């Protein structure tokens, strides 16, 4: 059966393309998702995507991941990275392999962005490569799932 990857994007990422392009680049979220879906298909995965500005909706979607047959998660929790115990607990609760993604290099920005509540519940973090961060995350997750299945 085709493995399923859930791509989750948090608050304000629907504004990519117009939002602080000097930090986040000019690609739109639909463009990033379409590219990633193609890339996932080439690697033999199905990609499901979900964006919300609401913390509760993101927690709900992660909570549904097991019953909806998701094998792994790519997540850009956006600002909730730095604040959300609820998202961290949701990732811990489903215990699926997850890769955290950031377009910008959160280690090189304001101090408050250096703390990630969610990263500890992920297998790794990719940060700072713009839209390419998502593709690198997909590669990392695909290899992780392949080696876990061996
Ligand atoms: C972000 C970095 C976060 O600090 C910020 O709040 C975002 C986007 C990124 O992709 O670089 O909204 O997650």
């Amino acid at each position: 059966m085709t493995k399923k990857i859930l791509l989750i994007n948090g608050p304000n990422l629907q504004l990519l393309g117009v939002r602080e392009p000097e930090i986040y680049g000019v690609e739109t979220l639909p463009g990033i998702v379409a590219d990633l879906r193609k890339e996932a298909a080439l690697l033999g995965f199905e990609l499901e995507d979900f964006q919300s500005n609401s913390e509760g909706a993101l927690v709900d979607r992660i909570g549904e991941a097991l019953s909806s047959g998701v094998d792994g998660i790519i997540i850009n929790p956006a600002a909730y990275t730095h604040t959300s115990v609820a998202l961290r607990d949701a990732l811990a609760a489903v215990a699926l392999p997850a890769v955290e993604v950031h377009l910008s290099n959160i280690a090189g920005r304001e101090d408050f962005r250096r703390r990630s509540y969610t990263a500890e519940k992920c297998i790794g973090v990719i940060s700072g490569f713009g839209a390419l961060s998502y593709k690198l995350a997909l590669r990392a997750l695909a290899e992780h799932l392949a080696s876990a299945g061996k």
Side-chain angles (χ1 to χ4, degrees), residues 88-104:
R88 174 201 172 99
D89 285 354
L91 289 169
V94 297
L96 285 166
V99 178
E100 180 168 312
V101 173
H102 300 283
L103 295 133
S104 64

Side-chain angles (χ1 to χ4, degrees), residues 39-88:
E39 199 98 351
L42 288 175
L43 293 169
F45 292 93
E46 183 189 333
L47 187 88
E48 211 171 277
D49 87 286
F50 181 74
Q51 188 277 329
S52 179
N53 295 321
S54 149
E55 187 177 15
L58 295 165
V59 169
D60 285 345
R61 189 62 194 88
I62 293 170
E64 286 160 17
L66 290 177
S67 62
S68 63
V70 168
D71 295 288
I73 297 174
I74 296 172
I75 182 165
N76 185 345
Y80 293 138
T81 307
H82 319 296
T83 63
S84 181
V85 176
L87 273 182
R88 174 201 172 99

Side-chain angles (χ1 to χ4, degrees), residues 1 5-6 21 25 45 52 56-57 65 70-71 74 92-93 96 99-100 105 116 121 124-125 138-140 149:
M1 224 174 74
I5 290 175
L6 173 64
F45 292 93
S52 179
V70 168
D71 295 288
I74 296 172
L96 285 166
V99 178
E100 180 168 312
N105 176 9
S116 170
K121 299 300 168 194
V125 179
L138 174 63
R139 278 279 302 277

Side-chain angles (χ1 to χ4, degrees), residues 11-13 19 23-24 76-82 101-106 109 112-113 127-128 134:
N12 301 309
L13 294 172
R19 176 191 180 198
I23 298 175
Y24 299 115
N76 185 345
Y80 293 138
T81 307
H82 319 296
V101 173
H102 300 283
L103 295 133
S104 64
N105 176 9
I106 58 171
R109 298 182 63 194
F112 67 84
R113 293 189 205 274
S127 176
Y134 286 90

